[in-house]
Amino acid sequence: MGKKKEPLKRIPGTRIFIGGATHVDLGDKATIDLLKKEQITHVFCTFPLTQNQFDGQPKDARSGDLTILELFHRRGINPLFPARLRRNGIGASSLLISPKHMKEFRTYESFRKEAIHTRKNFLIVCFGGWHASGSYAMYYLATMLPLTLAQIHKDFRGIGYSPDDIKLVENFFKRSKVDIQEVVNAKLEKMKIAAQIAAKRKKRKKKKKTPVRRAKLK
């Protein structure tokens, strides 16, 4: 019997799905049908999709001098999956910097700016685990939704992340010199100010609509 495929994990109340590419065959018709069913219109990969991206990675990130096809073969990934996804109206992009660069992964802001323009739901996939992919998902929640970091961690635990998994996710932020707690605090402060401004505008608008009573003539 083959290895049992793990289902895609959806973070509750969001449009984010997380999966592992060695457990979910993105080139398989059944998987593509599942993506359509879940209204996933874009897939973000924490691995290269082209030889050009692969050549641009540091040597330790690309496991020697393998070609991308050899890498996919070793990982059990169908190299045709990007084309098959596009053929079914599902976009695909890598979270690696391309072409040559000193850093391995794209910035979190670069990902967020692309993710907010996806039509519906999106999937983030990692080769085998879900720590790199989880860090991108966590950053998206930290910047886009009115959640505290504790609430975000709770949602991650709800889909199977252990405390150690969350620590590994946060290691990616440290490596990128991103303080995720500061990101959350800045977001919540902006939302608080925006809510206060909206409340004041609503109050002024209500006052303008209040009818003026005229004194009765004797």
Side-chain angles (χ1 to χ4, degrees):
M1 290 180 66
K3 190 173 183 179
K4 185 179 179 180
K5 295 180 180 179
E6 295 180 356
L8 306 180
K9 301 286 189 177
R10 183 174 190 167
I11 301 176
T14 77
R15 58 199 191 101
I16 306 173
F17 287 77
I18 297 179
T22 56
H23 303 301
V24 179
D25 183 357
L26 292 168
D28 183 61
K29 183 181 181 303
T31 300
I32 292 174
D33 288 342
L34 175 61
L35 298 184
K36 288 181 176 180
K37 179 182 177 182
E38 298 291 358
Q39 296 186 311
I40 293 171
T41 59
H42 201 92
V43 175
F44 292 94
C45 307
T46 63
F47 47 85
L49 299 184
T50 66
Q51 185 65 45
N52 186 42
Q53 289 173 328
F54 190 51
D55 289 341
Q57 302 313 307
K59 190 160 186 172
D60 61 342
R62 56 189 176 92
S63 304
D65 295 317
L66 293 173
T67 67
I68 189 170
L69 291 180
E70 290 170 334
L71 177 70
F72 280 6
H73 177 71
R74 286 191 179 188
R75 298 282 185 151
I77 295 175
N78 188 332
L80 298 177
F81 83 85
R84 290 181 178 175
L85 289 177
R86 286 192 291 270
R87 197 182 307 142
N88 285 273
I90 302 170
S93 56
S94 174
L95 291 174
L96 293 178
I97 293 174
S98 174
K100 298 184 185 297
H101 201 277
M102 293 298 291
K103 294 182 179 179
E104 182 181 353
F105 290 103
R106 280 170 53 182
T107 66
Y108 292 105
E109 266 301 294
S110 171
F111 155 72
R112 187 187 70 84
K113 289 177 180 178
E114 184 176 0
I116 60 177
H117 293 298
T118 56
R119 297 191 306 276
K120 293 183 180 178
N121 300 325
F122 57 88
L123 168 67
I124 310 174
V125 292
C126 198
F127 262 138
W130 52 3
H131 301 122
S133 51
S135 70
Y136 282 96
M138 190 174 289
Y139 184 85
Y140 189 89
L141 298 183
T143 54
M144 300 298 293
L145 295 181
L147 300 172
T148 65
L149 191 56
Q151 289 172 322
I152 293 172
H153 286 179
K154 182 179 178 181
D155 285 342
F156 271 69
R157 290 195 300 272
I159 62 171
Y161 278 73
S162 69
D164 286 339
D165 286 327
I166 292 175
K167 286 180 182 178
L168 289 172
V169 167
E170 293 185 330
N171 281 340
F172 282 89
F173 294 125
K174 292 177 182 178
R175 192 172 76 174
S176 301
K177 297 181 180 179
V178 171
D179 188 327
I180 193 65
Q181 182 65 69
E182 286 187 3
V183 171
V184 170
N185 292 344
K187 178 270 307 280
L188 292 176
E189 183 62 24
K190 286 181 180 179
M191 288 186 170
K192 180 181 176 181
I193 293 172
Q196 290 172 344
I197 293 173
K200 288 179 180 179
R201 286 177 179 172
K202 186 177 180 180
K203 190 174 181 180
R204 285 198 298 267
K205 192 174 180 181
K206 188 176 180 180
K207 283 183 178 179
K208 288 180 181 179
K209 288 185 176 181
T210 302
V212 178
R213 294 184 179 181
R214 295 182 179 179
K216 291 182 180 180
L217 296 175
K218 292 182 179 179

